[in-house]
Amino acid sequence: MDAQGRGRADDIDPADQWVLNPNTGEYELRLAPSAAQSSVPGPRGPGGRGTTGKAGPAGTRRTAPARRSGAAAPDTEAPSPRRRTGAPAEAAGRRGRRPVQKKAKGKKVLIWTGGTLAFVLVAASGAAYLYYEHLNNNITSVSDDGAGTGGFSKDRAINILLIGTDKRTGKGNEGYGDKNSAGHADTTLVLHVSKDRSNATVLSIPRDLITDIPDCPTTQEDGSEKVIPGKQRTRFNNSLGQEERTPSCTMRTITELTGLKLDHFMVADFNAVKTLTSAVGGVDVCLAKDIKDPDSKLDLPKGEHTIEGEEALAFVRTRHSVGFGGDLSRIELQQQFLGSMMRKLKSNDTLTSPPKMIKLAEAGTKALTVDDRISTIKKLADLGAELGKFDTKNLTFATVPVVDNPAEKIKATVVLKEPQAQQLFAMVRDDVSLTEVKQEKKKEKAAEAARLKGTKAPASEVRVRILNGGAVAGSAQETLSWLQVQEGVTKSENAGNAEQPLAKTTLEYGPDEADQARRLAEIMGLSGAALKPGKSVTNSQGVPAMTLTLGKDFEGAGVPLTTPKKVPEDVQKATADKVECAK
C-alpha cells in the first residue's frame, strides 16, 4: 500500500517507502512529507548536516515522490543524466520496487529481550540515515552506575547482560505478571563473545538461584546517588526491580557470582517477544508432544510450528507442560527458541529483505532499555557489528549448573553445583569456547602449549620473586611459605606489590630460565598462556630471578590456575545451529 492509500502520514509503514532517487540511481527509503520534515533528517550534505526541506547542492528541494498515479509532486526533482531515456515517468512516478541487493555492510544490532535474541539490522542500505533520529528517539536508557567496564572494545572479548523482566507494562499485557510488582530479573542471560569473534557463549542464570546481592550505588532522577543495601542469601531475580534496584544491581550481582566484568546491559518486557517475532515473520519451533498450558496460554499440538506475537510469548513463558515443569525446563525451551530465532535472522530471507530489517529496527529500538553507554543507534550498530561476526554453529547455550537447595524441605530454590559451576565460569572468563571451533588461527595456542614442553629444573634451583598484582592481601606471603615449605622452592622471595594490577597471574622469565619456568608452572598449575618469555630481574641476593605476579584470578596457594578445556559432562548445553524438539 502506498502513502496515498494510508490516510494519516504517521500511519505509513516505512518498509513500503522504497523509491528510486533519480539523482543517484539508487533506491532510498522515503517517508511522507510531514514525517520527513518533522523528525527524520534528510540526506547528508557536504558539511555532514541533514538537508531536510532545504535546497540541495544542485538547488533542488527534497520532496515526497510523485504518487503512483503519475501526478506531479509539488516540487519535482531535476532529471538525472543517469536516467534511462523514455523512462522518467516510470522511475519517478511510482513507488519503487525492492532494490537489487548489494553486498550488505550490515551493521547489526544484537537485541535480547524477554528471552528473545534478535539481530536488528540497521544501516543495511544507503537510505538508513533517513531513519536515524527516529530510531534514536525510540531508545530508552538508564545509567550503568559504574557497574560495567565503561564500554566494549574491539580488541577484547565482550560480555553483555540480557534481562527479560516480568514487570507488567504495555498494552495487551494485563494478564501477565504481578499487577503491583516492580518486576524481577525473570529471564537472565550473559552473552560472551570471544576476543577473536569466532564463537560465543550464552549463560542462562536460573531466577531461583540463591546468591548474595551486593550493595548497589544507584543514580537517582535528580542526579544524586543512593546506595541500595545488599541482601544475603536471596533469590537471584530480586537483583532487579525489588527495593528500587536497577539493571546495574544485576550487573554487580553477576560479577560477584561469576567473576565476569560486564560491558553493557539490555532489558525488555513481554512486548519485546511479541513485536520482534512478528517483525521477523515468525520463529520455527518443534514440540515432541502436545502442550496445553492454561497458565502461559500455550495450546499447540506436537510437531513443527511457526509462531509469533502472543503465541511466541506463550511459548517462552510455558514451563508446567515441559520437562520437569520448573524454571530449568523453561530455560531449555527458551534456548531452543533463541537458537531458532538466530537461524531465522541469519537466513537470506531476512538479510536480503529491507522491509523486514526496517521492521526489526523499529521493534527492537522500541523494546529495549539499554545502559547509557550504548544509547544511540550509532553505538548499538558498532556493538552489533562485533556481535554479528560469529557463526551460529559456534554459539553455545549453557545453563549455570545448580542443584536443589538442601536447606529446603519443599524444593523451591536452587544453589550452585560445585565444582562444575566454577569450572564453567572459569572457561567463560578465560575465553574458552564451549564448542569445537574450526579456525585457521591456532599459532598462538600452539606457542603457548610449546612453552610447557621441555626439561624442567629441580624445584631447589627455581629462583623467583613473588609480587601481589591484584590478589587478596597477603597472597604473596602465603604463596612464598607454601613454595618454600611444601614444594622445595627455597630460592624464592616476597617482592611486595606490583606497580599495576593484573587480571591474570603471569610468570615472566629470561631466555635461560625456561626450564625453571616449566617447573614452577607444573607446581602452581599455570597454563602456557601465563608464561611470558621476557627478561629476568635481579633478586635481593644479586642473582637473576623470574617474576611471578599474582593476578585477580589467584585463589590461593596450591589452587591450580589452569583453565578447564572441556565443559563438565553434566552441564546442560546446546548449540544454536541444531533443531531440537521440546519434550
Side-chain angles (χ1 to χ4, degrees):
M1 181 181 292
D2 60 20
Q4 191 175 26
R6 292 290 185 105
R8 295 191 308 121
D10 56 1
D11 288 335
I12 298 172
D13 185 349
D16 288 341
Q17 303 305 302
W18 291 93
V19 298
L20 181 70
N21 183 341
N23 287 331
T24 64
E26 296 182 355
Y27 283 85
E28 295 183 353
L29 177 66
R30 299 281 182 81
L31 302 181
S34 60
Q37 293 169 5
S38 62
S39 62
V40 182
R44 300 286 181 187
R49 294 182 177 275
T51 57
T52 302
K54 297 182 181 180
T60 58
R61 181 180 296 274
R62 306 291 294 189
T63 65
R67 302 299 186 192
R68 182 177 298 193
S69 63
D75 291 319
T76 57
E77 298 183 53
S80 168
R82 298 171 62 180
R83 183 182 295 166
R84 291 181 300 160
T85 302
E90 178 183 358
R94 67 179 185 181
R95 187 185 66 183
R97 292 165 294 182
R98 181 175 295 178
V100 177
Q101 293 299 311
K102 299 181 180 179
K103 186 176 181 181
K105 293 185 179 179
K107 291 182 179 178
K108 305 176 184 74
V109 179
L110 180 65
I111 296 188
W112 196 305
T113 51
T116 300
L117 179 65
F119 280 105
V120 176
L121 304 180
V122 180
S125 74
Y129 60 79
L130 293 173
Y131 224 32
Y132 183 86
E133 289 300 330
H134 171 73
L135 294 177
N136 272 340
N137 292 334
N138 284 347
I139 300 172
T140 301
S141 67
V142 295
S143 175
D144 73 351
D145 299 312
T149 62
F152 77 96
S153 174
K154 293 183 178 181
D155 59 357
R156 58 177 170 80
I158 299 174
N159 294 309
I160 310 292
L161 168 61
L162 310 155
I163 307 175
T165 176
D166 59 358
K167 182 177 181 180
R168 196 183 74 176
T169 60
K171 184 178 179 180
N173 294 322
E174 293 82 1
Y176 305 125
D178 184 347
K179 180 178 180 180
N180 300 312
S181 174
H184 302 78
D186 191 53
T187 298
T188 304
L189 310 108
V190 175
L191 170 65
H192 170 86
V193 181
S194 66
K195 180 180 178 180
D196 64 6
R197 308 297 188 253
S198 67
N199 64 90
T201 299
V202 174
L203 288 181
S204 294
I205 301 177
R207 65 181 185 182
D208 296 325
L209 173 65
I210 295 299
T211 189
D212 295 338
I213 299 175
D215 292 346
C216 182
T218 306
T219 303
Q220 304 298 297
E221 290 185 4
D222 61 2
S224 62
E225 185 179 279
K226 173 184 177 182
V227 177
I228 300 175
K231 195 169 184 178
Q232 305 297 306
R233 309 303 296 165
T234 186
R235 275 183 168 89
F236 174 86
N237 68 349
N238 289 324
S239 64
L240 177 70
Q242 306 305 298
E243 299 178 44
E244 300 183 334
R245 293 190 180 94
T246 66
S248 67
C249 297
T250 308
M251 290 183 88
R252 295 181 195 278
T253 303
I254 290 175
T255 297
E256 290 286 327
L257 178 69
T258 67
L260 284 168
K261 192 74 171 177
L262 303 174
D263 298 299
H264 300 288
F265 64 74
M266 298 180 181
V267 187
D269 59 15
F270 295 132
N271 274 325
V273 180
K274 295 190 286 187
T275 58
L276 286 170
T277 52
S278 295
V280 79
V283 174
D284 300 327
V285 297
C286 181
L287 297 177
K289 63 179 182 180
D290 297 345
I291 291 183
K292 189 169 185 177
D293 184 354
D295 291 326
S296 70
K297 303 175 184 176
L298 180 65
D299 187 358
L300 284 176
K302 69 177 182 179
E304 298 181 355
H305 305 274
T306 300
I307 59 176
E308 63 178 276
E310 291 285 352
E311 198 167 46
L313 177 59
F315 186 89
V316 298
R317 291 184 67 242
T318 192
R319 59 190 176 117
H320 299 304
S321 301
V322 293
F324 295 104
D327 186 49
L328 297 180
S329 297
R330 184 184 69 151
I331 286 175
E332 291 186 37
L333 194 74
Q334 290 175 348
Q335 290 174 348
Q336 180 215 128
F337 179 87
L338 299 173
S340 179
M341 172 72 91
M342 285 290 298
R343 293 192 298 273
K344 186 67 175 285
L345 288 163
K346 288 272 191 175
S347 69
N348 288 333
D349 182 53
T350 300
L351 293 175
T352 60
S353 173
K356 280 189 179 180
M357 290 189 286
I358 294 296
K359 289 178 180 178
L360 279 168
E362 278 284 346
T365 52
K366 288 179 180 178
L368 285 176
T369 295
V370 301
D371 66 88
D372 55 357
R373 301 182 190 277
I374 49 170
S375 58
T376 68
I377 289 297
K378 173 63 169 61
K379 292 177 181 178
L380 282 170
D382 288 344
L383 173 61
E386 296 301 307
L387 301 182
K389 291 179 179 178
F390 59 85
D391 194 302
T392 52
K393 68 180 180 182
N394 294 328
L395 171 61
T396 307
F397 297 99
T399 303
V400 172
V402 294
V403 294
D404 288 333
N405 188 349
E408 296 176 333
K409 291 184 178 180
I410 300 177
K411 305 304 180 184
T413 62
V414 293
V415 296
L416 291 179
K417 184 176 184 179
E418 303 293 11
Q420 289 88 340
Q422 297 308 321
Q423 291 172 347
L424 180 60
F425 296 155
M427 291 184 73
V428 178
R429 285 197 307 267
D430 292 342
D431 209 17
V432 177
S433 175
L434 304 193
T435 297
E436 290 291 334
V437 181
K438 295 181 180 180
Q439 52 183 334
E440 297 178 359
K441 188 179 178 182
K442 292 186 177 181
K443 292 182 179 180
E444 184 178 349
K445 295 294 182 183
E448 292 173 356
R451 293 170 197 161
L452 297 173
K453 297 178 180 179
T455 60
K456 300 179 179 69
S460 59
E461 296 301 319
V462 173
R463 297 184 300 274
V464 60
R465 299 167 66 249
I466 305 170
L467 296 172
N468 190 328
V472 175
S475 293
Q477 185 60 42
E478 177 192 3
T479 302
L480 175 66
S481 300
W482 174 71
L483 286 175
Q484 290 184 341
V485 176
Q486 297 189 39
E487 300 298 330
V489 185
T490 55
K491 296 178 180 179
S492 52
E493 63 181 41
N494 184 348
N497 293 327
E499 293 182 2
Q500 297 291 334
L502 297 178
K504 296 182 179 181
T505 297
T506 62
L507 175 62
E508 185 176 1
Y509 56 96
D512 299 329
E513 298 171 327
D515 58 341
Q516 296 182 46
R518 285 190 284 268
R519 176 60 70 192
L520 189 60
E522 180 183 64
I523 292 172
M524 295 195 62
L526 299 176
S527 67
L531 272 58
K532 305 296 182 185
K535 60 181 181 179
S536 59
V537 295
T538 302
N539 65 12
S540 60
Q541 303 300 315
V543 295
M546 302 182 296
T547 300
L548 173 68
T549 305
L550 306 178
K552 294 179 181 179
D553 62 337
F554 183 77
E555 297 181 0
V559 179
L561 290 167
T562 304
T563 304
K565 299 301 180 184
K566 290 184 63 178
V567 182
E569 291 184 0
D570 50 356
V571 172
Q572 182 275 323
K573 70 184 185 76
T575 53
D577 63 323
K578 295 181 180 179
V579 180
E580 297 183 6
C581 294
K583 298 178 181 180

